């Protein structure tokens, strides 16, 4: 039966709300999980944020987001590694079991070079992730972001990268917005499930007339993604975690967020 039992919301989805307000409203709406964006903990700190969330009865699903490893200079790459280590410490203080990696890319070098730098970056932070018991979820991004946001653009590439490490702490995040178009998707979801690497599942929708590459994601049901089919693949691959609603949208952020949250929960029950 459709319900909100597996419903998690990313704080960025209701960006106008500060964390305490988001926590209170999500819990009151019957949402069970929350993924915390770094900006949401500003002014409160990760430890206090974690206490606040647990006191409201919500489960922390992930801390968002690390990565952005590639850089043309070695100093830039070292800085990225330091930043990711700091994020891992924050995730541990928050009580998040995982951080999501938007891996990064640089338009000033080839995608191959960027991918090598991503591998080196993950290698460099993995010992700390293991020590802190925080997993790393590689999130492939739609190819429209290949120039400057991620050189990992398909689930096959993310699976290759995750499998390279042979670690329980490195896996992938499947986000329908980035991957819905891929004819290999069912096969690659099965592959990452079979390898124990399917760490996270993110939902929203792809609007046919997308007007902004970053901030015009659709609410589930507003676009053309077959969400129920992809969820069935994810669950057939053994995934038992949350379906995380992650919507960046100038249109939805401009609305009354109480109304939008109601739309999110209704859309989740109907379409996810
Ligand atoms: Zn995502």
């Amino acid at each position: 039966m459709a319900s909100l039992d597996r419903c998690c919301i990313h704080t960025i989805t209701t960006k106008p709300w500060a964390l305490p307000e988001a926590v209170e409203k999500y819990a009151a709406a019957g949402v069970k999980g929350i993924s915390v964006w770094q900006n949401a903990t500003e002014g409160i700190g990760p430890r206090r944020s974690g206490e606040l969330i647990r006191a409201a009865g919500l489960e922390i699903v992930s801390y968002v987001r690390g990565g952005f490893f590639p850089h043309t200079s070695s100093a830039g790459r070292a800085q990225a590694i330091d930043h990711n280590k700091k994020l891992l410490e924050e995730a541990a203080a928050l009580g998040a079991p995982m951080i999501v990696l938007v891996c990064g890319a640089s338009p000033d070098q080839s995608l191959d070079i960027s991918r090598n730098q991503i591998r080196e970056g993950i290698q460099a932070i993995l010992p700390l992730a293991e020590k802190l018991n925080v997993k790393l979820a590689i999130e492939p991004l739609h190819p429209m972001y290949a120039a400057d946001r991620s050189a990992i653009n398909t689930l096959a590439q993310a699976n290759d990268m995750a499998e390279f490490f042979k670690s329980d702490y490195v896996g992938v995040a499947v986000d329908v917005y980035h991957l819905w178009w891929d004819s290999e998707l069912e096969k690659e979801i099965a592959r990452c499930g079979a390898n124990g690497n399917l760490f996270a599942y993110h939902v929203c929708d792809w609007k046919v007339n997308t007007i902004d590459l970053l901030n015009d994601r659709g609410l589930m049901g507003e676009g053309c993604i077959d969400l129920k089919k992809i969820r069935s693949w994810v669950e057939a691959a053994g995934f038992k975690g949350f379906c995380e609603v992650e919507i960046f949208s100038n249109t939805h952020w401009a609305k009354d967020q109480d109304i939008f949250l109601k739309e999110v929960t209704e859309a989740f029950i109907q379409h996810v």
Side-chain angles (χ1 to χ4, degrees):
M1 201 185 91
S3 78
L4 295 175
D5 286 352
R6 293 288 91 201
C7 180
C8 164
I9 300 181
H10 281 233
T11 57
I12 196 83
T13 299
T14 55
K15 191 167 91 164
W17 280 342
L19 185 71
E21 192 171 13
V23 167
E24 186 197 320
K25 306 270 180 154
Y26 295 1
V31 171
K32 306 294 186 213
I34 184 168
S35 284
V36 180
W37 277 60
Q38 195 197 11
N39 65 311
T41 68
E42 280 166 13
I44 309 170
R47 193 166 305 278
R48 177 80 193 104
S49 298
E51 290 165 3
L52 189 85
I53 292 166
R54 283 184 291 277
L58 292 174
E59 187 172 333
I60 301 173
V61 179
S62 58
Y63 190 47
V64 196
R65 59 204 183 340
F68 294 101
F69 295 109
H71 201 283
T72 51
S73 78
S74 58
R77 295 195 294 278
Q79 205 172 23
I81 287 166
D82 285 347
H83 179 64
N84 277 274
K85 287 180 176 171
K86 180 174 157 277
L87 291 174
L88 280 168
E89 300 279 2
E90 290 173 4
L94 178 68
M98 156 172 74
I99 65 172
V100 176
L101 299 178
V102 170
C103 292
S106 166
D108 300 318
Q109 63 188 18
S110 75
L111 292 169
D112 274 344
I113 290 175
S114 286
R115 282 193 278 271
N116 285 335
Q117 293 175 353
I118 290 164
R119 189 177 296 107
E120 287 163 9
I122 294 172
Q123 189 98 63
I125 65 169
L126 183 53
L128 182 63
E130 290 173 347
K131 182 173 153 231
L132 295 173
N133 197 25
V134 175
K135 294 185 175 191
L136 305 171
I138 298 166
E139 178 164 352
L141 259 54
H142 191 282
M144 69 181 171
Y145 301 116
D148 60 352
R149 299 186 80 81
S150 183
I152 308 285
N153 306 107
T154 63
L155 187 51
Q157 288 171 341
N159 279 336
D160 288 347
M161 185 69 74
E163 287 167 18
F164 170 84
F165 293 99
K166 298 183 174 60
S167 164
D168 293 343
Y169 285 85
V170 184
V172 306
V174 169
D175 186 323
V176 298
Y177 189 73
H178 301 299
L179 302 175
W180 68 276
W181 54 271
D182 186 350
S183 60
E184 302 295 304
L185 188 57
E186 182 179 11
K187 189 181 94 185
E188 291 295 328
I189 285 173
R191 172 183 164 195
C192 73
N195 289 325
N197 287 339
L198 184 44
F199 286 1
Y201 179 54
H202 298 175
V203 296
C204 64
D205 213 336
W206 181 276
K207 290 166 69 179
V208 177
N209 294 310
T210 294
I211 56 171
D212 185 293
L213 296 190
L214 274 182
N215 295 324
D216 192 30
R217 293 189 181 202
L219 177 66
M220 299 81 75
E222 274 186 320
C224 58
I225 302 178
D226 192 339
L227 289 159
K228 285 189 194 295
K229 180 181 268 182
I230 299 176
R231 185 176 180 181
S232 77
W233 295 341
V234 163
E235 290 184 343
F239 183 74
K240 293 187 171 57
F242 283 90
C243 303
E244 305 176 40
V245 178
E246 184 191 35
I247 303 170
F248 323 127
S249 164
N250 292 328
T251 308
H252 291 304
W253 289 331
K255 285 183 187 166
D256 178 320
Q257 295 297 286
D258 285 301
I259 293 170
F260 180 46
L261 178 61
K262 194 162 188 300
E263 291 172 351
V264 168
T265 54
E266 286 172 359
F268 189 94
I269 288 167
Q270 194 181 346
H271 298 289
V272 181

